[in-house]
Amino acid sequence: NILTITGAGTLKITAAQAGTDIYAPAQTTATTTVGNSYVVSGLITKPVNVPLPTGIAKLFYEAGGLAKNGTVLNGNYSIALVRPGRYIMQVVPTGNDEDKVFPAYYNGALLNKDATVIVVEGNTTINMEMPAKPSNDPKGQGEIKGKVTGGNGGGRFIVGRIADGVGLPNVPVYLLDNTDKVLKTVNTDKDGLFTFTELVTGTYKLALDVVGATLAASSTTVEVDPAKGVLEVSAAVSTVNNKPVITLGVQVITGLEGNEITWWVYPNPAREEIRLGWRSASTSTINLTLSDLNGKQMKVQSQEPESVNTEIVMPIADLSLPGGLYLLQVNQGAVRKTVRSEEHTSELQSHH
């Protein structure tokens, strides 16, 4: 049975103990205080004062984590059973309007760091106009394909393939320039997949904007070059110590002696050990160097490839490393790759 309580007051529950005399059962009583809940509702429009046909209104706790969501239909939305508190609201357009307006936070902010906090102390009306996407973007031949999945314990940093796992739908993915200006956004589909098309050659920042995680912790720099083919990206949203964590992996299109190399590092953040998966036809020794951001080496390890697929385990518990960002450099012959690996912390920043 489900008991729904919408008003404030004192709730007393009395229950009979199973297996006792049905005419004089043993009973237990519990009393709890129930607080008020309210409705957040309003009108969502697109330029100029046109109701947004369809969308999703998401209400996040200020510190992070989804509290409630509701459907936007013909501009109207209503989110019930909202407890008193401080929230950040995001509206994600769906349908044909994905290409016309950006997903936005109240009041019109593109990123959660610029959002206006909503204080709910009673029934609350929040109206908002969605910012329009530019219609004159330069067009190129570059393309990024990826997938956003759910994770746990910090997820894993994946390089070289689209991630396995259950995809998360209706997650906005952001493409930014090096000044963190939002250039494009796209929503994941029902399978968690997304695609950016018609990109000009250049360097971009790819980000998932999650309330409770900093932009630096949720983004990675990518190089788009149509001559190298489609850039494949994997991302996972999870929580560590009840804080949102985003891990991102980017396919690096390179090789040694004509051999394609695929690799992935996990867990990221790491605590007890770092595991490196390495797929290459090369028989050269694989060398790992863990260092801090000042270049001081913390650990060096080498291993001969076991086969085309090799897994290397680097124990780090004995190093007693303070929480922070560290660089894991991997060399095999003429190939060098670097990924930032974060130890003992709840936020992730990646670089390659």
Side-chain angles (χ1 to χ4, degrees), residues 2-325:
I2 299 175
L3 177 63
T4 302
I5 302 169
T6 59
T10 300
L11 176 66
K12 179 183 289 187
I13 300 176
T14 301
Q17 182 177 341
T20 61
D21 188 337
I22 61 172
Y23 297 105
Q27 294 183 339
T28 181
T29 300
T31 302
T32 185
T33 300
V34 180
N36 280 319
S37 63
Y38 302 104
V39 175
V40 177
S41 60
L43 179 66
I44 306 299
T45 59
K46 58 182 183 178
V48 178
N49 294 324
V50 176
L52 182 70
T54 60
I56 301 172
K58 302 181 179 181
L59 205 59
F60 296 92
Y61 299 108
E62 183 183 13
L66 181 66
K68 298 279 185 180
N69 59 33
T71 300
V72 178
L73 185 61
N74 296 324
N76 296 296
Y77 75 95
S78 180
I79 304 174
L81 300 177
V82 179
R83 310 291 285 179
R86 295 170 61 88
Y87 298 92
I88 290 175
M89 189 176 81
Q90 181 189 42
V91 176
V92 180
T94 58
N96 295 332
D97 285 283
E98 286 186 36
D99 298 328
K100 300 175 183 177
V101 295
F102 283 110
Y105 296 89
Y106 180 73
N107 193 14
L110 296 184
L111 301 173
N112 81 80
K113 66 183 181 66
D114 302 317
T116 300
V117 174
I118 299 169
V119 179
V120 175
E121 296 176 335
N123 291 334
T124 305
T125 300
I126 299 293
N127 301 323
M128 185 172 73
E129 182 174 274
M130 306 291 287
K133 289 185 175 181
S135 57
N136 56 349
D137 283 342
K139 299 186 183 302
Q141 300 298 315
E143 186 172 345
I144 298 175
K145 287 186 176 181
K147 183 177 182 179
V148 178
T149 64
N152 57 70
R156 56 186 293 180
F157 196 105
I158 302 172
V159 179
R161 62 186 177 88
I162 299 294
D164 298 324
V166 178
L168 299 179
N170 294 314
V171 176
V173 184
Y174 295 74
L175 196 72
L176 306 94
D177 64 14
N178 56 10
T179 67
D180 290 344
K181 176 185 176 183
V182 178
L183 303 175
K184 293 176 178 287
T185 63
V186 65
N187 298 342
T188 57
D189 65 14
K190 62 181 178 62
D191 298 314
L193 300 172
F194 66 90
T195 303
F196 287 102
T197 60
E198 299 184 332
L199 301 177
V200 298
T201 302
T203 301
Y204 299 91
K205 184 178 290 186
L206 190 69
L208 297 178
D209 193 46
V210 176
V211 177
T214 64
L215 181 62
S218 66
S219 63
T220 188
T221 300
V222 296
E223 298 284 343
V224 174
D225 184 352
K228 293 182 179 180
V230 177
L231 185 66
E232 293 185 345
V233 178
S234 301
V237 179
S238 58
T239 58
V240 172
N241 296 333
N242 296 319
K243 291 192 64 178
V245 173
I246 299 90
T247 62
L248 291 146
V250 179
Q251 180 180 5
V252 181
I253 306 176
T254 184
L256 174 64
E257 300 171 356
N259 296 316
E260 182 179 356
I261 292 176
T262 299
W263 70 311
W264 53 96
V265 176
Y266 65 97
N268 196 346
R271 297 179 183 274
E272 303 295 328
E273 63 186 20
I274 298 172
R275 290 180 175 265
L276 170 72
W278 187 268
R279 184 179 298 128
S280 169
S282 172
T283 58
S284 300
T285 301
I286 304 171
N287 301 297
L288 282 71
T289 302
L290 183 68
S291 60
D292 64 18
L293 296 185
N294 294 320
K296 181 180 178 181
Q297 291 187 359
M298 301 299 177
K299 189 164 187 173
V300 177
Q301 185 172 323
S302 299
Q303 182 170 319
E304 300 300 320
E306 302 166 353
S307 62
V308 173
N309 298 309
T310 301
E311 182 174 68
I312 303 175
V313 179
M314 175 183 277
I316 58 173
D318 60 322
L319 301 180
S320 300
L321 298 175
L325 293 172

